Amino acid sequence: MIQVLFFAQVRELLGTAKVEHSSANIHTTEELRAALAATDDKWAKVLTSDKLLVAVNQTISQWDTKIKAGDEVAFFPPVTGG
């Protein structure tokens, strides 16, 4: 299983902070995003945003980053500091 976390506006729009997803046939962060986006129209709209960021095991990652069972993947909007 892959632990999937959602932060900030992504969490608010999806209505959940985390889910678990089977790691079967999921090899990259992009494949995970596509599988989650297939949940329904709301998830597709939120998770296909070109501004969405991803982290694997608390490290900012790219959409082609390899993932495996036991990994933690987080989706979140861009953050700014002040």
Side-chain angles (χ1 to χ4, degrees):
M1 290 298 234
I2 298 169
Q3 294 283 24
V4 185
L5 307 176
F6 306 105
F7 291 98
Q9 185 180 20
V10 176
R11 176 180 58 213
E12 292 171 17
L13 292 170
L14 294 179
T16 188
K18 64 182 176 178
V19 297
E20 285 188 342
H21 195 281
S22 169
S23 56
N25 299 318
I26 301 291
H27 303 100
T28 66
T29 51
E30 179 57 40
E31 290 175 0
L32 177 61
R33 176 167 69 164
L36 292 169
T39 301
D40 65 29
D41 290 342
K42 175 176 70 172
W43 283 60
K45 182 177 180 178
V46 173
L47 294 173
T48 57
S49 168
D50 61 346
K51 295 184 180 3
L52 191 67
L53 299 176
V54 65
V56 176
N57 299 323
Q58 301 179 5
T59 301
I60 301 268
S61 302
Q62 301 299 316
W63 293 110
D64 60 353
T65 299
K66 302 284 185 192
I67 56 175
K68 62 188 179 324
D71 282 345
E72 175 188 271
V73 178
F75 295 100
F76 53 97
V79 294
T80 60

